Amino acid sequence: MSRFFTAGDSSSESSSSDEEELYSEEEAGHKSEEESDEDEEASDEEDESSSDSEGPGKSGVSKFLRDQVSSDESEDEDKVTIVKSAKDKRLEELESVVKLIENAEKINDWSSISTEVKLEFDKLNRQVTKMTAQDKTPKIYIKTISDLEDFMNESIAKQKVTTKKMNATNAKGLNAMKQKIKRNNKDYTVEIDKYREDKGDYMMTDEEEEVIVVERRSVVYAGGADVGDDEGFETVGRGGKTLQYTPESIFKHLRSIVESRGKKNTDRAEQIRIMERLLDVAITPYQTVRVLLTLISTRFDLTSGSTSTFMSQEQWKLAESEFGKLLEVLEGNHNMVVLENAEEWEDDEKPPQPAPGEKLRIPGSIVSIVERLDDELTRSLQHIDPHTAEYIERLSDEQALYTNIVRGLLYVEDLQKDSKLETTQDSANRVVMRWLEHIYFKPAQVVNILEETAWKAIPSQLNSEIIPRGSSPDTAALVQTLSTYLFKHSVDIIRARAYLCQVYYFALHDQYYRARDMLLMSHLQETIGNFNINTQILFNRTLVQVGLCAFRANLVYESQNTLQEICGSGRQKELLAQGVMIQRYSQVTPEQERLERQRQLPFHMHINLELLECVYLTCSMLLEIPLLAQTGSSPDIKKRIISKTYRRLLEFHERQIFTGPPENTRDHVMQASRALAAGEWKRAAELINSIKIWELMAESDKIKTMLSEQIQEEGLRTYLFTYAPFYDTLAVSVLGSMFELSERKVAAVVSKMISHEELAAALDQVNSAIIFRKGVELSRLQSLALTLSDKASGLIEANERTLEQRTQGTANAFERQGGQGGRGGRGGRGGRGGQRGDRGGSRTRGGQQFGGGALGGAIKA
């Protein structure tokens, strides 16, 4: 028996040694230590599995034929044995994980994806990282992670729309994988975008791509050649042709780049590098302008078509500096102009020659570049976390943008001076509007710094007719001048936006009456629904700022009335474009949510929502508490509600069994309301003044003093409403000592209440006392009877309105020719049935009377 085992062991050892030799011959020289260790472990596992299959599993004759089988295997070893490289083994592992993921996606099983597949996914990412270090990322891996992310987004979108929710295990697995997938896919954003542009072309064979890369980027040595920085080398393009960057070939390169814009598989980064080389070899101003226009547009194309990404700060600064160079060239060469309506020059061999006295017209748009720079900066500020230093650094680029806006307007003004160019007024309006939108929400000190720095950077020979250099030391005059210009030369949306910007500026700088009068005279509140959403957002922001301005001016009623529409809706964040509120049962599609996020304002433009809520609730408290006291003491007064939001919060707070110390702004206001209603005005003032949010307002001490005075007055009014039925006379000095007010102030408050018929009393100025008039005190039964009569009269009026709606258009059909009987023969509301003896009037000549048809009969019945 030992003879057979010896033979088997020797054969296995020889086969394993042959495999190791073959592996070393094929893979030596280009395998790392880690890969060789993994392959040895894999080969050891294969040897163990083969020995196991030959050992205990064999019995009978097959055991004695073992020598023959091993000898046959040794003879055919070269034909049967397949040694796989580490790359192939990783690809096989990748395909197996992909299969698991696809199977889980078919049944929407996120729990298995987050548990079983996650372990394989982590292992897969480690393998791909090793492969990426030596070779390109496998395309099947890019396809898998891209499809998995799309499937995840689709699942999340379905959950928002559909009422049927996934189970808890699936939802937990989806949440676990969401962050992991997003974090993993950040490193492969470029490849994923290429795959999503054209999935078919992207999944082509690697060999074809390698050929393309070699054709595109291969370099050959050329003796004595000096092109760019690579001395002695020339860049070879497709077909083996040498790419030559000379002044004569600039227009041909530009044409090929322009024609490839928008096409699939276009390498924009490579195009930018080519144009940077062309800019270096450009020798004439015309060539420089053409290259700069195309180069700036191509930089903007890097983020076109994708709303989830924004232009990097590096690319934005390069585009901004190139725009500055473009304006310098145009300002130094007045024989060339860039116009939107200019015709394209088709001849690439020679530049155009304008006629004598004419200017060379180059197709392009300076205004569009200014707007795109502004939009890209805004988009980047939308995506950057506002609580980081990166946001502050990015916001510092606004000064360069502001300078370019002013400089762009100077160029547009220069074009308008030449009547032959036929420039439109819309270009100047668009630039002025951008200028105004950058200053209307800023304090005057910040605007002065922007203006001073911008004019210093602009050449001294340039000047503006709209805003001459050094003519606007006052920010209010600057806003007034820009707004007036747009009032005269623009229509519709731009004019409305300019009007709102000016109102916003006045309200921000405590000019309440001026802002209020302008807003009322514009009548925009009647037509704002016809404007676009961005203008509606600006209107809401202006309305809120006017309300805050009224509060700072100690106009509590006006402030509450202005803020009621925005704050009473409970959607302040959404109406002011300061956040997206996803309602639980709202049918919001992903497309609508994407558009909503695009409209969000950058953080530095936000209005503090906590401050806004605090002002609104404080004003509501000062108005509602005296009203509640008045209606509680006089049941015959019709109940009315000023703020439903405040009443709801107050009722919820009163239903609480135990109330601890106030923790937030809302708790402070609610507890102050209860204290004020109980006559504890000092406690109410203390709670209101302890709110820390007041520190964010200018002159916070003045605001707190104003609030204390208001609380004293409203406390006095609440006391009089509550306890007036229990007094016959009350000395003014007593009230003054109770509320720490002067007798003159108490007399003024009481006189105002008497004149408004809020208090049934008379003021005895000789004795400095208040004499209360005792009216007829109603019993409980009489009060309930009055309430019932009011409800009955309301029901009658509702029935009358319903009848008029149903008989609209046929109301005259039920009136008799004699003019008597009123509605359907029953007379008017005053007399019930005129001449009931003859059923409401004389008949017609023919003896036939019109009864109103079936509808008239139903009403008569």
Side-chain angles (χ1 to χ4, degrees), residues 513-533:
Y513 292 104
R514 191 173 182 182
R516 182 202 63 181
D517 294 343
M518 285 188 64
L519 191 60
L520 292 176
M521 287 189 297
S522 67
H523 297 284
L524 281 173
Q525 59 271 17
E526 301 171 4
T527 59
I528 192 62
N530 301 327
F531 291 92
N532 58 13
I533 296 180

Side-chain angles (χ1 to χ4, degrees), residues 709-778:
E709 294 175 356
Q710 284 285 345
I711 290 173
Q712 283 177 300
E713 292 183 19
E714 298 304 327
L716 172 61
R717 297 179 73 244
T718 304
Y719 183 84
L720 290 175
F721 283 136
T722 305
Y723 298 105
F726 304 97
Y727 283 103
D728 290 329
T729 59
L730 183 60
V732 174
S733 59
V734 174
L735 289 175
S737 61
M738 289 175 61
F739 293 95
E740 297 182 3
L741 293 172
S742 62
E743 294 186 7
R744 184 174 182 179
K745 185 67 175 178
V746 173
V749 172
V750 173
S751 300
K752 187 176 182 180
M753 293 174 66
I754 294 173
S755 65
H756 290 172
E757 297 183 358
E758 296 175 342
L759 188 65
L763 185 62
D764 187 356
Q765 296 181 352
V766 177
N767 299 320
S768 295
I770 304 171
I771 303 174
F772 294 94
R773 295 194 184 97
K774 295 294 183 181
V776 178
E777 295 185 2
L778 301 176

Side-chain angles (χ1 to χ4, degrees), residues 544-555:
V544 166
Q545 200 60 246
V546 171
L548 294 175
C549 180
F551 177 77
R552 293 192 296 269
N554 198 10
L555 302 172

Side-chain angles (χ1 to χ4, degrees), residues 10 16 90 181 285 361 372 406 441 461 516 555 572 631 683 839:
S10 62
S16 62
R90 290 183 181 128
I181 292 172
R361 304 187 180 191
R372 189 63 186 272
V406 178
F441 63 93
Q461 67 270 18
R516 182 202 63 181
L555 302 172
Q572 301 96 307
T631 55
R683 171 66 177 164
R839 306 294 291 175

